[in-house]
C-alpha cells in the first residue's frame, strides 16, 4: 500500500513538475527577478542557528524532533517501520540463499513436480497481512494526530511564489513580508548554513500551537520543515492547513518540497521560534513598520484619562474587555 502511495506521489510530482515547467515558461517573461533586492532584517533579536538542530547534519538519521508530532513520527520510523523492513529484508535474503543452494539443479538430478502447497500459500498470505495490520494501527493514529490539531493560538499564512515564500499574520493586523534566500556570503556572515537561511524568517512564539495555512500564487509548492515532521502542499487557488507546536526557542530550516521550477532549490523556509515576550516585541516592530494601529486599545487608552469621574466607573469594566479584544 505504501509502495503504491509512493508511486502515486512520484507520478503526481512528475505531473506537477511538467505543469510547473509549462507555467514557468508562460510566467517567465513578465515577472521581474525577485531574489536580487536586499530587504533589511526587521527582527529585533535574530537567533543564531545551532549546529545539529533544525538543519541537516550529514548523517543518515532524521533531524532531531522538536514537536510532539515529530516525536511520534520518529517513533514510528525508528521503532516500527525500520525494524519491520530490516527483518523482512533479512528473512527474504536468507530464504533466497537457502533456496538457491538447497534446490540447485546439481543437487537435484530429478526435478520436483510440486506445483503448489496450500499450507505455505496460506502462511505467505496471512503473515504479510498481519504485519500490515500491526503497522496500520500506529500509522493511522499518527495520521489522525497530524490532521486533528489542537485549538490554534496563532494562524500564519504561508504563500509560495516562484521562488520565495511570503508570510501573512492575519491575527496581528494582517501584515505580510517576503522571505528571500540569503546569498552564500550573507549566510556566512550570519553564521547560517548556506542555501537555508532567509532575509526575513517566519517568526512564531514558543509553546504555542501554530496553525499554518499554505497556498501558492503561481505553481504548486510545498511547505516542509523536517525537524517538525511537517510537509504540506501549497496549491494555487486552494488553502491547505497544517500545524506545529515547538517549545524550544531556536531557528529551524526547511525547503520547498515540490518541484516548482528552475529555482525550486533556492526558496528555503526558516522558522524562528522566540520566547513569547520577544515574539510580542517582534510583532510590535512589524506592526509599527507596516503602520498598523490597534484600534480598540487606542480607544480605551484615549478614553480613560479624558473621562469624567462619574463616567470612569462605567468605562472601567469595558477597558479590560477592550484590552482583551486587542490581544
Ligand atoms: Cu517551490
Amino acid at each position: 500500500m505504501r509502495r503504491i502511495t509512493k508511486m502515486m506521489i512520484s507520478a503526481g510530482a512528475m505531473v506537477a513538475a511538467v505543469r510547473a515547467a509549462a507555467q514557468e515558461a508562460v510566467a517567465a517573461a513578465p515577472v521581474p527577478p525577485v531574489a536580487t533586492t536586499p530587504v533589511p532584517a526587521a527582527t529585533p533579536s535574530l537567533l543564531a542557528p545551532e549546529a545539529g538542530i533544525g538543519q541537516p547534519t550529514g548523517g543518515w538519521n532524521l533531524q532531531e524532533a522538536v514537536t510532539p508530532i515529530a516525536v511520534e513520527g520518529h517513533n514510528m520510523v525508528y521503532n516500527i517501520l525500520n525494524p519491520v523492513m530490516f527483518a523482512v529484508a533479512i528473512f527474504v535474503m536468507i530464504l533466497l540463499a537457502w533456496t538457491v543452494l538447497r534446490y540447485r539443479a546439481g543437487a537435484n538430478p530429478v526435478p520436483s513436480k510440486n506445483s503448489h502447497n496450500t499450507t505455505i500459500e496460506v502462511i505467505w498470505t496471512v503473515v504479510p497481512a498481519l504485519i500490515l495490520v500491526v503497522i496500520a494501527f500506529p500509522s493511522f493514529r499518527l495520521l489522525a494526530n497530524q490532521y486533528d490539531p489542537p485549538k490554534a493560538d496563532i494562524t500564519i499564512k504561508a504563500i509560495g511564489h516562484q521562488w520565495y515564500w511570503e508570510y501573512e499574520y492575519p491575527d496581528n493586523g494582517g501584515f505580510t513580508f517576503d522571505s528571500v534566500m540569503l546569498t552564500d556570503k550573507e549566510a556566512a556572515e550570519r553564521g547560517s548554513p548556506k542555501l537555508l537561511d532567509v532575509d526575513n524568517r517566519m517568526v512564531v512564539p514558543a509553546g504555542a500551537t501554530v496553525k499554518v495555512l499554505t497556498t501558492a500564487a503561481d505553481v504548486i509548492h510545498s511547505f516542509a520543515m523536517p525537524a517538525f515532521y511537517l510537509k504540506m502542499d501549497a496549491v494555487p487557488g486552494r488553502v491547505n492547513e497544517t500545524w506545529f507546536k515547538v517549545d524550544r526557542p531556536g531557528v529551524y530550516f526547511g525547503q520547498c518540497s515540490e518541484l516548482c521550477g528552475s529555482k525550486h532549490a533556492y526558496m528555503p523556509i526558516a522558522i524562528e521560534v522566540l520566547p513569547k515576550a520577544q515574539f510580542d516585541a517582534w510583532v510590535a516592530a512589524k506592526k509599527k513598520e507596516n503602520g498598523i494601529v490597534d484600534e480598540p486599545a487606542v480607544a480605551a487608552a484615549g478614553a480613560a484619562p479624558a473621562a469624567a469621574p462619574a463616567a470612569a466607573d462605567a468605562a472601567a469594566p469595558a477597558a479590560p474587555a477592550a484590552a482583551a479584544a486587542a490581544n
Side-chain angles (χ1 to χ4, degrees):
M1 197 174 84
R2 280 176 175 278
R3 211 159 143 198
I4 293 171
T5 316
K6 214 170 171 186
M7 282 165 62
M8 283 167 66
I9 290 169
S10 49
M14 277 166 62
V15 171
V18 170
R19 199 186 297 153
Q23 293 190 31
E24 186 192 320
V26 174
V31 178
V34 288
T36 49
T37 324
V39 184
T43 319
S45 64
L46 200 64
L47 286 185
E50 201 179 319
I53 301 290
Q55 54 181 291
T57 54
W60 59 13
N61 283 331
L62 300 169
Q63 285 184 29
E64 188 174 318
V66 296
T67 62
I69 289 293
V71 170
E72 194 181 339
H74 286 200
N75 187 41
M76 179 81 201
V77 171
Y78 288 132
N79 301 330
I80 298 167
L81 293 181
N82 280 354
V84 168
M85 282 194 298
F86 276 108
V88 169
I90 290 167
F91 174 72
V92 170
M93 293 295 279
I94 290 172
L95 204 60
L96 193 64
W98 179 69
T99 309
V100 167
L101 292 174
R102 170 73 180 78
Y103 298 101
R104 66 190 190 277
N108 299 274
V110 185
S112 161
K113 291 220 167 76
N114 276 354
S115 62
H116 59 263
N117 181 316
T118 309
T119 311
I120 289 181
E121 284 162 19
V122 169
I123 290 173
W124 79 38
T125 305
V126 171
V127 171
L130 286 176
I131 292 174
L132 289 180
V133 169
V134 167
I135 292 174
F137 279 98
S139 173
F140 289 157
R141 191 173 56 220
L142 172 59
L143 261 182
N145 291 343
Q146 280 181 295
Y147 290 96
D148 184 22
K151 196 178 170 303
D153 296 314
I154 180 171
T155 300
I156 299 170
K157 196 168 165 191
I159 304 151
H161 293 263
Q162 283 177 318
W163 289 273
Y164 62 96
W165 290 91
E166 177 191 354
Y167 299 108
E168 185 181 327
Y169 285 66
D171 299 349
N172 299 98
F175 64 81
T176 66
F177 57 88
D178 294 344
S179 185
V180 179
M181 191 183 77
L182 297 182
T183 63
D184 287 357
K185 189 166 161 280
E186 288 165 337
E189 280 166 10
R190 201 191 268 186
S192 295
K194 70 173 189 176
L195 305 178
L196 287 176
D197 208 351
V198 294
D199 53 359
N200 297 304
R201 296 171 181 158
M202 170 179 167
V203 179
V204 300
T209 299
V210 181
K211 184 199 279 188
V212 183
L213 303 175
T214 66
T215 187
D218 33 46
V219 299
I220 302 174
H221 302 269
S222 180
F223 188 84
M225 186 54 64
F228 300 177
Y229 209 76
L230 176 148
K231 185 175 286 178
M232 182 55 72
D233 272 8
V235 184
R238 273 185 61 173
V239 177
N240 286 340
E241 181 187 328
T242 185
W243 71 285
F244 64 82
K245 179 176 172 291
V246 184
D247 293 328
R248 189 182 181 290
V251 189
Y252 305 91
F253 298 108
Q255 289 173 305
C256 176
S257 296
E258 176 67 78
L259 276 176
C260 60
S262 61
K263 289 190 196 160
H264 159 65
Y266 307 110
M267 51 178 295
I269 297 150
I271 299 182
E272 185 164 335
V273 179
L274 289 179
K276 184 75 171 75
Q278 280 183 54
F279 172 77
D280 290 343
W282 177 84
V283 166
K286 273 289 176 195
K287 279 183 174 174
K288 202 173 162 196
E289 186 187 315
N290 288 276
I292 296 167
V293 183
D294 287 335
E295 296 298 343
V298 166
D313 290 347
N327 290 330

